[in-house]
Amino acid sequence: MSLTDEDELLHGESDEEGQKEEEAQEEEATERDQIESCPLTQDMMAQSLSLLCRTGNGLAHAFVKADLKERSLTDIALLSSFVHLRFLDISSNFLTDFSPLAALTQLLWLKADGNQLPGFRDQPLGQLAYLQWLSLAANRLGDTEGLGGPALESLNLTGNGIQRVSGLEYHRLTNLVTLELRGNSLETTDGIYLPNLRNLYLAQNKIKQLEGLEKLERLTTLHLRGNQLETLDGLSPSMKSLQYLNIRDNLIASRKALQSLLGVAQTLQAIVLTGNPFSDMEDYRLLVLTYLPLLERLDKEHFSSEERMEAQERIREFEESTEQEDQ
């Protein structure tokens, strides 16, 4: 193929990608146009309120919980008047702007799954000083820039279009313990700088590389099912709290991948490897136990005493043969 032909081919592919992107944008615009305007009303609020509690100063009472899911809402401006709300469900609406939530300074819990939020920039979520639990699954988030929350402990971003994590930094999310990013378009684990994180769920992405994990010193659970990992390079000895690792349904084919687990062998209690080519090898369970003698469960099944004895025997045989070679 000549250089000219190759240029034309690449140019054609570029044009095709651009056309697809334009078509997707037009489709989104058409969808927005077809959505009938539906602002929040006083009647809707009256029906949604529950849980009567004392207000912050203790001198009055107010309803602190509102359930507004599946109301076809496009505008929640009225919410800014309900400053005592602590628990709010606005799931399954057509919301693209959460700015009225800035007035809800007492909010502890927010569920906003199934809306159309495109990003965190210019949104007030990071200003909510007491917000501890936030779920934004199945929105239209393309990145994580601009997200923060001084009290946030649990964050669910499952089922968005996030391609790369950025902006998830310790000084903005000091107390985050659980992060769910299942079902996005991530290709790497890099960008998660959260040393207090305990649980990280990254299943059903396109992850090919484990990067940046050395910063997650307190992580106990790492879930990577259904990605495209061929190795486990990137697991770090500094992950000195890791207890559970799920890498089911990846592309791991070589026993060499087990060497990357040696750095976390002292704390790892359970691992799920089924669905990888490696798990079809003869004596698969015994091989894993040989590398990880302290492991309690493989593929959710505990090791038998017979398996442990056989693994110990193999380890002794290997050590003896190594000593003889050294002599």
Side-chain angles (χ1 to χ4, degrees), residues 218-270:
R218 298 186 181 180
L219 197 71
T220 61
T221 299
L222 178 56
H223 204 293
L224 289 157
R225 178 176 179 174
N227 280 283
Q228 299 174 18
L229 293 169
E230 295 182 10
T231 76
L232 296 176
D233 295 347
L235 292 177
S236 169
S238 65
M239 301 171 71
K240 49 194 175 185
S241 302
L242 191 64
Q243 298 177 14
Y244 177 84
L245 177 62
N246 191 324
I247 43 178
R248 180 174 182 171
D249 297 334
N250 276 269
L251 305 173
I252 297 167
S254 170
R255 60 186 291 174
K256 289 182 179 179
L258 294 179
Q259 294 176 356
S260 300
L261 294 170
L262 296 178
V264 295
Q266 294 302 309
T267 59
L268 197 62
Q269 298 176 7

Side-chain angles (χ1 to χ4, degrees), residues 131-133 151-155 175-179:
L131 187 65
Q132 298 173 17
W133 190 94
L152 200 60
E153 296 179 3
S154 179
L155 174 62
N175 292 304
L176 196 65
V177 173
T178 298
L179 174 60

Side-chain angles (χ1 to χ4, degrees), residues 6-48:
E6 188 174 349
D7 288 343
E8 288 179 357
L9 180 59
L10 291 173
H11 184 67
E13 289 177 353
S14 178
D15 287 346
E16 187 176 346
E17 289 176 3
Q19 185 177 352
K20 286 181 179 178
E21 188 174 340
E22 287 179 10
E23 289 174 356
Q25 290 175 351
E26 289 175 3
E27 188 176 338
E28 283 187 21
T30 302
E31 286 178 12
R32 286 195 295 270
D33 292 340
Q34 290 175 346
I35 296 171
E36 187 175 343
S37 176
C38 182
L40 180 61
T41 65
Q42 289 284 359
D43 285 344
M44 289 182 190
M45 282 304 301
Q47 296 168 15
S48 74

Side-chain angles (χ1 to χ4, degrees), residues 45-292:
M45 282 304 301
Q47 296 168 15
S48 74
L49 293 170
S50 62
L51 194 57
L52 191 64
C53 294
R54 286 186 183 275
T55 57
N57 60 18
L59 301 177
H61 287 78
F63 289 107
V64 300
K65 184 177 182 180
D67 184 349
L68 292 165
K69 64 176 178 290
E70 298 178 356
R71 302 295 182 94
S72 300
L73 294 172
T74 57
D75 184 342
I76 51 173
L78 184 63
L79 273 177
S80 61
S81 302
F82 293 82
V83 296
H84 299 296
L85 284 177
R86 299 174 195 170
F87 306 94
L88 176 62
D89 189 345
I90 49 174
S91 299
S92 302
N93 286 290
F94 300 108
L95 301 172
T96 59
D97 180 22
F98 292 175
S99 55
L101 301 183
L104 308 187
T105 57
Q106 304 302 307
L107 203 62
L108 302 174
W109 188 96
L110 174 61
K111 186 174 184 181
D113 300 347
N115 279 285
Q116 298 181 8
L117 188 70
F120 294 105
R121 297 180 186 83
D122 303 320
Q123 297 297 319
L125 300 175
Q127 304 167 25
L128 301 175
Y130 300 109
L131 187 65
Q132 298 173 17
W133 190 94
L134 173 62
S135 184
L136 288 163
N139 272 263
R140 293 187 173 177
L141 300 170
D143 57 52
T144 52
E145 284 289 343
L147 176 62
L152 200 60
E153 296 179 3
S154 179
L155 174 62
N156 184 359
L157 302 178
T158 295
N160 281 279
I162 300 168
Q163 296 181 348
R164 188 175 183 88
V165 173
S166 58
L168 295 187
E169 298 173 357
Y170 177 65
H171 69 281
R172 297 174 60 85
L173 292 158
T174 311
N175 292 304
L176 196 65
V177 173
T178 298
L179 174 60
E180 297 203 38
L181 284 161
R182 308 175 200 252
N184 280 279
S185 300
L186 299 174
E187 294 185 3
T188 175
T189 54
D190 196 26
I192 303 172
Y193 307 135
L194 301 168
N196 282 335
L197 199 67
R198 306 290 198 280
N199 309 299
L200 179 57
Y201 299 96
L202 298 169
Q204 304 301 326
N205 278 279
K206 302 174 183 178
I207 296 172
K208 300 175 182 178
Q209 291 180 294
L210 300 180
E211 299 174 293
L213 297 178
E214 66 277 0
K215 300 177 179 70
L216 306 182
E217 296 181 0
R218 298 186 181 180
L219 197 71
T220 61
T221 299
L222 178 56
H223 204 293
L224 289 157
R225 178 176 179 174
N227 280 283
Q228 299 174 18
L229 293 169
E230 295 182 10
T231 76
L232 296 176
D233 295 347
L235 292 177
S236 169
S238 65
M239 301 171 71
K240 49 194 175 185
S241 302
L242 191 64
Q243 298 177 14
Y244 177 84
L245 177 62
N246 191 324
I247 43 178
R248 180 174 182 171
D249 297 334
N250 276 269
L251 305 173
I252 297 167
S254 170
R255 60 186 291 174
K256 289 182 179 179
L258 294 179
Q259 294 176 356
S260 300
L261 294 170
L262 296 178
V264 295
Q266 294 302 309
T267 59
L268 197 62
Q269 298 176 7
I271 186 170
V272 182
L273 280 164
T274 188
N276 286 279
F278 172 77
S279 64
D280 294 328
M281 291 179 66
E282 188 177 355
D283 292 338
Y284 150 67
R285 286 179 60 83
L286 198 57
L287 184 58
V288 173
L289 191 57
T290 303
Y291 274 87
L292 303 168

